[in-house]
Amino acid sequence: MPQSAATISGIQRMVLYETRARYFLVGTNQAQTKHRVLKIDRTEPKDLVIIDDKHVYNQQEVWELLGRLDLGNRTKIGQKGSSGLSRSLSAFGIVGFVRFLEGYYIVLITKRRKMADIGGHSIYKIEDTSMIYIPNDSVRVTHPDEARYVRIFQNVDLSSNFYFSYSYDLSHSLQYNLTLLQRPYELWSSPTSSAEEEVQKQSKHDSFDIFEDEGLPTQVVYGLQSEPYYKYVWNGKLLERVKDIVHRDWLMYIIHGFCGQSKLLIYGRPVHITLIARRSSKFAGTRFLKRGANCEGDVANEVETEQIVNDASVMSLTAGSYSSYVQVRGSVPLYWSQDISTMMPKPPIRLDQADPYAHVAALHFDQMLQRFGSPIIILNLVKKREKRKHERILSEELYPAVINLNQFLPPENCIEYLAWDMARYTKSKLCNVLDRLSMIAENVVKRTGFFSNRSNFYCHTIRPDDRWGDLGGYITASGRVQTGVLRTNCVDCLDRTNTAQFMVGKCALAYQLYALGMIDKPKLQFDTDCVRLFEELYEDHGDTLSLQYGGSQLVHRVKTYRKIAPWTQHSKDIMQTLSRYYSNAFSDADRQDAINLFLQVYQPSESRPHLWELPTDFYLHQRNTMALPLDRRSYTMWWSAGVLSYLPVPYDEVSCEDTMKKVKVRRANRFEESIDIYTEFFKPYELTSFDDTFCIAMTNSAREFMPKTVGVDPSPFTVRKPEETGKSVLGKSSKEETLLQRKTAASAPPPPSEEAISSTSEDDSEDDRDDDASVSQRSTPIKLLTESGESTRTQEEIQQQSVKEPYGLNLAEFPAAKDLLIYERFAHLGESQHRVERTEHINLANIICL
């Protein structure tokens, strides 16, 4: 009986050799024991001719082949002056092949950096690439606009947040990948399974067993490769031309988004916390140019965020303890947009098409039911009450759409809708935003559950917790499965969304650590080493996604909503607001053209207008505008066939005929290098240094966050004082400001009741600010009132803090104005630009002070 399945590692190193007539790309595995050769013809001016003989060479055979090619391509036989075969460059993978108006280019990864490790499978970030023109100069047909297309294509910076792995499928979640490996052998041996047919086609060489000749029991496993989830693959179109020609080992799919990993030390026991964000390649673009959804149900700024927690003392995916939780952000699934021609910081929202039967929302939620199961929980954070109707337009359209779709679903699988005006709640001085988010997060995690590949530990029996028994999800023999997902949105899905996702992730992290037996109850508190480490990961995650979509880093962070942000943070917020406005106004159009070209949404041709001549890209992303649809989905039976029968389990993870067709299986020896993670992780054939290894260099809770004071409790779950930390969470080392923040936190009132919240919100309705990006949170309230209504601050204290500055502002009463002045002083601007910026600061100061 074969053992459990394993993932297959592809080609990891490449060398490109060049002759006048061909390119020879020689690929090898990590140990350089198996080689493949790809031949690319250079005599065709516009066609791509690639030959892959599918043969596996050893090192001696490769050197002999290259020697014969060198000898055969010299101008004269026996000539030693110049080689007929020259080495062009070394690479780590193929991004793809692309053509504009002339011939094809090949894009190769030339530099990489390890960012994370999941069960011994390395995840790399692309650091540099090389774009090489394939046809020879003698056959090249030049075009005057070719260079411009090349520049637009290269505007997509592949060295910025693109990730890949040779042996781990980054386009799928950990739950999907491990569920695939845990499927029983009977599924692979089923006569109807296409996977078994793939196994039977393997050659004698591929299924060779080293124990066969010695009469020992066979040591065979099934190596698995699943089709990627193309929604999160960014080079799928670039590899489409060669996908059916070359061997699967040549294909390497990249994702765009974020990947970060940190080590949490629990009394010396290492626990890895990994955060992976996958940005959708469908309807992708920049902030104001991509809003809402397209005709296929793909929404703008859709990102799937997965947090993985695993016990790093055991590395194997099958033998180790792993847990994950997934949540999603994305634009409101309606036909809506914003007109940017007015040059306003906040353009008006308009609904482009009427959709009375919620057709586009149905397509979007059908995708989510297939991938995540039920329940789908919508957390809508847009504003409810405004002087001028702006964000509320989206809520008034989304809620009826959800009601319309739910009437056709079974009650237990309905879409759950939760609307909460987070911006309005933040402005109330009596309300604690994070406490309310914590309540929402607790309810969400209890409904969806999380993934764990281990059943309950004995510690859960001797130290039971009431909340553990109420946890949702689907219980299996080997652990539990997350069913359903939280979908969070505001207008931009940036600042408010990131804070809400952090609070949900913090709640899920507590349950994950409890499931792994690391803590005695599923509860984590702020100001612990664990939460600070997790908060830093989420801030990097939010900054990265915000830069990709909005053009600047986050404006409002977790510290802003905790109201412990230092006063220097306000000037940074203004800088980010101005940077975001500049990016949206002047550079987003070029970035959008680059994304459309890279994703092959637009393919250049002699018979169509150039990309820069198009007045809009609306018709590129809305396919139904270019051709009539052949069939139209039912308005009542709006889900795909077979989805409802398996709910709440996601259809993509069910062992059925449709899902098995996406898996390719190869029979291999247990100790073969392509499925053995030991050689990839430890590299026994290379001389390495401990200081250079990734596990030493990664962020460490004991080194980065634990206090250096001798005798302090080393537990990462102990609440620290702000001054007792290896890395200042406030971003400052000033003791005075630290004491101020502690005093403010201690004097904060408890969370009010729902009645108090609603009444306070009504009082603030008249001062509703139009632009969230320009609102700066004060670190302390302006006045703290006693029961008698008098200020607790004495006149003496106010006089000591009163510092007169230009504009006639008392900075003790208006701390935000002080930040504006500091920002103005340190802005290195020319004389004319300085005058403009000064005027903007005065206007912003007036808005904030009002």
Side-chain angles (χ1 to χ4, degrees):
M1 176 74 66
Q3 298 185 4
S4 60
T7 57
I8 301 175
S9 176
I11 293 172
Q12 300 195 24
R13 295 179 183 271
M14 302 176 186
V15 179
L16 185 66
Y17 294 93
E18 176 184 0
T19 67
R20 292 182 60 85
R22 282 183 177 178
Y23 277 121
F24 293 90
L25 192 60
V26 179
T28 180
N29 57 1
Q30 181 75 12
Q32 299 185 8
T33 57
K34 295 182 178 181
H35 305 260
R36 293 185 181 273
V37 179
L38 206 62
K39 305 166 189 175
I40 308 172
D41 189 24
R42 302 186 63 196
T43 59
E44 289 291 338
K46 292 189 176 182
D47 291 335
L48 181 64
V49 180
I50 294 181
I51 301 173
D52 183 9
D53 55 12
K54 310 290 176 67
H55 181 69
V56 179
Y57 299 85
N58 58 35
Q59 197 165 19
Q60 181 63 29
E61 291 173 340
V62 166
W63 285 117
E64 291 177 357
L65 175 63
L66 294 177
R68 291 195 299 268
L69 291 172
D70 181 23
L71 184 63
N73 284 279
R74 289 177 182 171
T75 54
K76 294 181 181 179
I77 297 177
Q79 181 181 1
K80 296 182 180 180
S82 61
S83 174
L85 183 71
S86 59
R87 177 169 175 160
S88 182
L89 57 83
S90 298
F92 297 101
I94 302 175
V95 175
F97 299 84
V98 63
R99 177 181 177 270
F100 308 120
L101 296 173
E102 296 181 6
Y104 275 89
Y105 297 83
I106 181 173
V107 184
L108 299 173
I109 301 171
T110 55
K111 288 184 182 179
R112 66 182 184 184
R113 179 160 60 96
K114 188 172 180 178
M115 297 299 296
D117 180 89
I118 301 177
H121 303 278
S122 300
I123 299 175
Y124 296 96
K125 176 180 179 291
I126 299 177
E127 290 287 299
D128 197 10
T129 57
S130 180
M131 188 172 177
I132 300 172
Y133 188 67
I134 293 177
N136 198 305
D137 290 340
S138 60
V139 299
R140 181 170 187 172
V141 180
T142 60
H143 193 283
D145 296 317
E146 180 75 8
R148 185 168 182 178
Y149 277 114
V150 172
R151 287 195 302 269
I152 294 175
F153 183 86
Q154 292 177 338
N155 279 343
V156 175
D157 187 6
L158 285 171
S159 63
S160 175
N161 308 118
F162 283 88
Y163 304 91
F164 67 93
S165 177
Y166 299 109
S167 54
Y168 183 82
D169 189 354
L170 286 174
S171 66
H172 284 291
S173 64
L174 179 75
Q175 175 172 310
Y176 177 90
N177 291 332
L178 289 190
T179 303
L180 189 68
L181 295 181
Q182 291 171 355
R183 289 177 181 175
Y185 164 71
E186 288 77 12
L187 294 176
W188 311 122
S189 60
S190 172
T192 60
S193 174
S194 61
E196 179 66 17
E197 297 174 7
E198 184 73 18
V199 173
Q200 294 174 356
K201 293 179 183 178
Q202 297 298 322
S203 63
K204 177 77 174 177
H205 176 76
D206 288 340
S207 59
F208 175 71
D209 187 3
I210 60 175
F211 297 96
E212 213 169 3
D213 296 336
E214 302 180 11
L216 297 175
T218 58
Q219 305 263 334
V220 175
V221 296
Y222 283 126
L224 305 182
Q225 283 180 329
S226 64
E227 282 292 317
Y229 193 67
Y230 285 102
K231 185 176 187 176
Y232 298 118
V233 172
W234 277 65
N235 63 335
K237 290 291 185 180
L238 301 180
L239 292 174
E240 193 174 43
R241 180 75 172 77
V242 299
K243 184 175 65 173
D244 299 327
I245 300 175
V246 302
H247 191 273
R248 177 66 176 81
D249 289 351
W250 290 104
L251 303 178
M252 187 185 67
Y253 297 99
I254 64 175
I255 67 167
H256 185 39
F258 174 79
C259 180
Q261 188 175 55
S262 298
K263 182 189 298 182
L264 179 68
L265 283 178
I266 307 176
Y267 294 104
R269 188 174 185 178
V271 175
H272 286 178
I273 300 177
T274 311
L275 202 62
I276 299 175
R278 309 173 182 90
R279 180 174 292 280
S280 172
S281 62
K282 308 294 185 183
F283 204 50
T286 54
R287 184 185 178 198
F288 285 133
L289 297 179
K290 285 293 164 285
R291 294 296 210 187
N294 65 2
C295 61
E296 297 178 354
D298 303 309
V299 298
N301 195 24
E302 183 173 7
V303 182
E304 177 183 300
T305 300
E306 179 182 22
Q307 60 187 58
I308 300 172
V309 181
N310 69 287
D311 185 354
S313 58
V314 181
M315 188 177 62
S316 170
L317 282 176
T318 54
S321 299
Y322 288 83
S323 175
S324 72
Y325 184 78
V326 176
Q327 48 186 325
V328 177
R329 69 172 69 181
S331 188
V332 179
L334 304 168
Y335 288 120
W336 67 279
S337 63
Q338 287 180 277
D339 185 12
I340 60 173
S341 61
T342 57
M343 294 294 292
M344 297 172 58
K346 197 171 184 182
I349 293 175
R350 65 183 184 190
L351 298 174
D352 297 329
Q353 296 183 36
D355 192 9
Y357 299 103
H359 177 66
V360 65
L363 294 174
H364 176 69
F365 291 120
D366 180 41
Q367 294 179 12
M368 299 190 71
L369 286 175
Q370 290 188 55
R371 183 165 174 85
F372 304 110
S374 67
I376 303 297
I377 304 175
I378 302 172
L379 178 57
N380 186 14
L381 301 176
V382 303
K383 295 179 181 178
K384 289 183 179 179
R385 285 187 245 173
E386 300 168 294
K387 283 186 178 180
R388 294 193 311 264
K389 189 187 290 188
H390 183 69
E391 297 184 9
R392 191 174 46 162
I393 297 173
L394 302 178
S395 295
E396 291 176 353
E397 289 292 323
L398 178 60
Y399 182 67
V402 173
I403 296 297
N404 179 69
L405 298 178
N406 276 342
Q407 63 182 328
F408 306 112
L409 283 174
E412 64 273 12
N413 299 323
C414 281
I415 302 169
E416 300 181 16
Y417 180 86
L418 175 61
W420 183 53
D421 190 344
M422 183 173 173
R424 186 182 192 82
Y425 208 93
T426 304
K427 285 178 288 187
S428 174
K429 301 177 183 65
L430 300 177
C431 300
N432 192 319
V433 176
L434 298 189
D435 282 351
R436 181 61 185 267
L437 281 175
S438 181
M439 295 168 52
I440 294 173
E442 188 75 28
N443 293 328
V444 166
V445 175
K446 282 184 178 180
R447 292 284 288 119
T448 62
F450 62 94
F451 170 75
S452 177
N453 69 334
R454 287 286 172 266
S455 55
N456 291 352
F457 288 97
Y458 183 63
C459 62
H460 299 149
T461 305
I462 61 176
R463 290 196 302 269
D465 190 276
D466 295 338
R467 289 171 292 184
W468 184 252
D470 299 334
L471 198 62
Y474 184 75
I475 309 299
T476 64
S478 58
R480 61 174 59 245
V481 173
Q482 178 182 346
T483 57
V485 73
L486 173 68
R487 185 195 190 278
T488 310
N489 72 269
C490 49
V491 176
D492 298 326
C493 301
L494 296 179
D495 299 349
R496 286 172 281 179
T497 298
N498 197 72
T499 301
Q501 284 196 334
F502 164 75
M503 291 303 297
V504 176
K506 172 178 168 290
C507 179
L509 177 64
Y511 280 99
Q512 290 175 281
L513 291 171
Y514 182 79
L516 299 180
M518 302 297 176
I519 53 179
D520 58 350
K521 57 181 179 180
K523 187 73 174 177
L524 293 175
Q525 296 184 8
F526 277 105
D527 298 322
T528 60
D529 297 345
C530 175
V531 174
R532 283 172 176 167
L533 178 144
F534 188 66
E535 182 181 340
E536 186 178 81
L537 265 179
Y538 247 96
E539 295 240 330
D540 293 342
H541 159 268
D543 284 339
T544 302
L545 298 181
S546 182
L547 276 168
Q548 293 166 8
Y549 184 64
S552 73
Q553 295 183 347
L554 291 174
V555 176
H556 297 149
R557 304 171 180 273
V558 177
K559 298 183 188 66
T560 307
Y561 291 102
R562 289 186 68 191
K563 301 186 179 180
I564 64 168
W567 60 269
T568 53
Q569 183 64 40
H570 303 312
S571 57
K572 294 179 182 177
D573 291 347
I574 296 171
M575 283 288 292
Q576 298 302 334
T577 301
L578 297 176
S579 174
R580 186 176 293 182
Y581 175 74
Y582 174 84
S583 175
N584 299 152
F586 301 107
S587 63
D588 276 5
D590 294 336
R591 290 172 55 206
Q592 185 66 57
D593 287 344
I595 292 173
N596 290 338
L597 190 61
F598 184 85
L599 294 174
Q600 297 289 279
V601 176
Y602 173 86
Q603 297 181 0
S605 173
E606 296 281 359
S607 59
R608 61 190 307 183
H610 293 300
L611 180 60
W612 52 87
E613 295 175 350
L614 297 177
T616 177
D617 65 348
F618 176 82
Y619 305 101
L620 301 178
H621 293 271
Q622 307 284 350
R623 294 186 180 181
N624 61 355
T625 60
M626 305 301 293
L628 292 174
L630 298 178
D631 54 346
R632 193 173 185 86
R633 186 172 298 189
S634 170
Y635 291 135
T636 56
M637 306 282 289
W638 53 265
W639 52 86
S640 299
V643 171
L644 284 188
S645 56
Y646 293 102
L647 289 179
V649 178
Y651 181 75
D652 288 350
E653 297 173 12
V654 173
S655 301
C656 62
E657 186 176 354
D658 290 340
T659 57
M660 295 297 291
K661 290 178 180 178
K662 301 176 182 179
V663 181
K664 300 199 180 292
V665 184
R666 181 165 65 86
R667 186 173 181 265
N669 180 265
R670 179 185 176 187
F671 302 100
E672 186 177 332
E673 191 269 343
S674 63
I675 62 171
D676 184 14
I677 60 173
Y678 178 87
T679 54
E680 179 182 352
F681 184 80
F682 291 103
K683 302 179 182 177
Y685 41 81
E686 290 184 7
L687 179 63
T688 55
S689 170
F690 278 117
D691 295 334
D692 298 334
T693 56
F694 173 74
C695 57
I696 298 296
M698 69 191 298
T699 302
N700 189 312
S701 64
R703 183 176 64 238
E704 306 286 343
F705 297 94
M706 193 176 74
K708 304 302 184 288
T709 309
V710 179
V712 175
D713 184 3
S715 171
F717 308 111
T718 301
V719 178
R720 313 282 189 199
K721 298 177 182 178
E723 67 271 13
E724 292 179 350
T725 177
K727 181 183 291 187
S728 175
V729 76
L730 299 176
K732 286 177 65 73
S733 60
S734 171
K735 281 192 174 182
E736 296 178 359
E737 184 165 14
T738 300
L739 292 173
L740 176 63
Q741 301 300 337
R742 289 176 58 194
K743 185 176 180 181
T744 305
S747 61
S753 61
E754 289 294 329
E755 291 79 13
I757 293 171
S758 59
S759 62
T760 307
S761 299
E762 290 215 15
D763 294 337
D764 290 343
S765 63
E766 296 300 322
D767 299 326
D768 196 11
R769 296 183 182 92
D770 290 335
D771 192 359
D772 285 346
S774 64
V775 178
S776 181
Q777 297 295 331
R778 299 183 179 91
S779 58
T780 57
I782 293 179
K783 291 184 180 180
L784 298 176
L785 299 179
T786 60
E787 293 180 359
S788 61
E790 296 178 354
S791 175
T792 58
R793 298 167 57 191
T794 64
Q795 189 68 24
E796 239 179 300
E797 291 175 346
I798 295 178
Q799 287 178 357
Q800 289 175 358
Q801 294 180 7
S802 297
V803 180
K804 295 298 182 180
E805 291 281 355
Y807 311 127
L809 296 175
N810 187 332
L811 299 183
E813 295 297 329
F814 301 105
K818 183 177 180 181
D819 307 334
L820 294 171
L821 296 172
I822 291 175
Y823 166 67
E824 180 179 318
R825 288 171 179 173
F826 288 94
H828 300 287
L829 301 171
E831 185 176 352
S832 60
Q833 291 179 339
H834 180 81
R835 194 177 302 115
V836 175
E837 293 293 335
R838 188 171 183 273
T839 305
E840 291 181 3
H841 298 336
I842 296 173
N843 293 335
L844 285 172
N846 292 334
I847 293 172
I848 294 176
C849 293
L850 288 175

